[in-house]
Amino acid sequence: TCMVKTQNVKNKNDQYYGGAQIAIKDTLECSKSVTGTSDWTELTFMFNSKNRDSIELGFRLGGYNEMSIGEAWFKDRRRNTWFR
């Protein structure tokens, strides 16, 4: 879970996996996407680890094989730190 804020985010090619999201690296597994312009919104990603020993999570603008434009800021909801 993290907080995300967006400004003018839209999918460049109008595909289905764009926007600001949390995702597992090199997979199609991701949270819901946040598009448009939004104030700080909680974004949660629940997943099944399956048989994996470890995973790499990414906080990204765009999706697997999808480009998005705009700006997104992510921050830890428990701390006052953020990144863009």
PDB file of all heavy atoms in Angstrom, residues 23 40 46 55-56 72:
ATOM      1  N   ALA A  23       3.334  -2.716  -9.376  1.00  0.00           N
ATOM      2  CA  ALA A  23       3.372  -3.925 -10.203  1.00  0.00           C
ATOM      3  C   ALA A  23       4.514  -4.839  -9.790  1.00  0.00           C
ATOM      4  O   ALA A  23       5.492  -4.410  -9.180  1.00  0.00           O
ATOM      5  CB  ALA A  23       3.545  -3.546 -11.660  1.00  0.00           C
ATOM      6  N   TRP A  40      -3.715  13.046  -3.355  1.00  0.00           N
ATOM      7  CA  TRP A  40      -3.168  11.835  -2.756  1.00  0.00           C
ATOM      8  C   TRP A  40      -4.277  10.807  -2.535  1.00  0.00           C
ATOM      9  O   TRP A  40      -5.278  11.087  -1.888  1.00  0.00           O
ATOM     10  CB  TRP A  40      -2.467  12.143  -1.438  1.00  0.00           C
ATOM     11  CG  TRP A  40      -1.196  12.899  -1.627  1.00  0.00           C
ATOM     12  CD1 TRP A  40      -0.979  14.207  -1.308  1.00  0.00           C
ATOM     13  CD2 TRP A  40       0.020  12.405  -2.187  1.00  0.00           C
ATOM     14  NE1 TRP A  40       0.306  14.556  -1.640  1.00  0.00           N
ATOM     15  CE2 TRP A  40       0.952  13.475  -2.180  1.00  0.00           C
ATOM     16  CE3 TRP A  40       0.424  11.183  -2.702  1.00  0.00           C
ATOM     17  CZ2 TRP A  40       2.248  13.340  -2.663  1.00  0.00           C
ATOM     18  CZ3 TRP A  40       1.720  11.049  -3.185  1.00  0.00           C
ATOM     19  CH2 TRP A  40       2.609  12.118  -3.155  1.00  0.00           C
ATOM     20  N   MET A  46      -2.729  -6.317  -3.789  1.00  0.00           N
ATOM     21  CA  MET A  46      -2.698  -7.623  -3.127  1.00  0.00           C
ATOM     22  C   MET A  46      -2.456  -8.663  -4.203  1.00  0.00           C
ATOM     23  O   MET A  46      -3.034  -8.577  -5.292  1.00  0.00           O
ATOM     24  CB  MET A  46      -4.005  -7.881  -2.401  1.00  0.00           C
ATOM     25  CG  MET A  46      -4.217  -6.904  -1.251  1.00  0.00           C
ATOM     26  SD  MET A  46      -5.741  -7.175  -0.354  1.00  0.00           S
ATOM     27  CE  MET A  46      -5.393  -8.728   0.411  1.00  0.00           C
ATOM     28  N   ILE A  55      10.103 -11.500  -5.005  1.00  0.00           N
ATOM     29  CA  ILE A  55       9.560 -10.698  -6.104  1.00  0.00           C
ATOM     30  C   ILE A  55      10.158  -9.308  -6.030  1.00  0.00           C
ATOM     31  O   ILE A  55      10.660  -8.889  -4.986  1.00  0.00           O
ATOM     32  CB  ILE A  55       8.023 -10.595  -6.062  1.00  0.00           C
ATOM     33  CG1 ILE A  55       7.595  -9.919  -4.757  1.00  0.00           C
ATOM     34  CG2 ILE A  55       7.356 -11.918  -6.249  1.00  0.00           C
ATOM     35  CD1 ILE A  55       6.211  -9.378  -4.793  1.00  0.00           C
ATOM     36  N   GLU A  56      10.099  -8.585  -7.140  1.00  0.00           N
ATOM     37  CA  GLU A  56      10.493  -7.183  -7.169  1.00  0.00           C
ATOM     38  C   GLU A  56       9.257  -6.372  -7.508  1.00  0.00           C
ATOM     39  O   GLU A  56       8.632  -6.587  -8.540  1.00  0.00           O
ATOM     40  CB  GLU A  56      11.571  -6.939  -8.212  1.00  0.00           C
ATOM     41  CG  GLU A  56      12.917  -7.518  -7.841  1.00  0.00           C
ATOM     42  CD  GLU A  56      13.987  -7.151  -8.853  1.00  0.00           C
ATOM     43  OE1 GLU A  56      14.130  -5.939  -9.148  1.00  0.00           O
ATOM     44  OE2 GLU A  56      14.646  -8.068  -9.339  1.00  0.00           O
ATOM     45  N   ALA A  72       3.413  11.347 -11.939  1.00  0.00           N
ATOM     46  CA  ALA A  72       2.889  10.619 -10.779  1.00  0.00           C
ATOM     47  C   ALA A  72       3.901  10.700  -9.646  1.00  0.00           C
ATOM     48  O   ALA A  72       5.098  10.614  -9.872  1.00  0.00           O
ATOM     49  CB  ALA A  72       2.628   9.158 -11.138  1.00  0.00           C
TER      50      ALA A  72
END
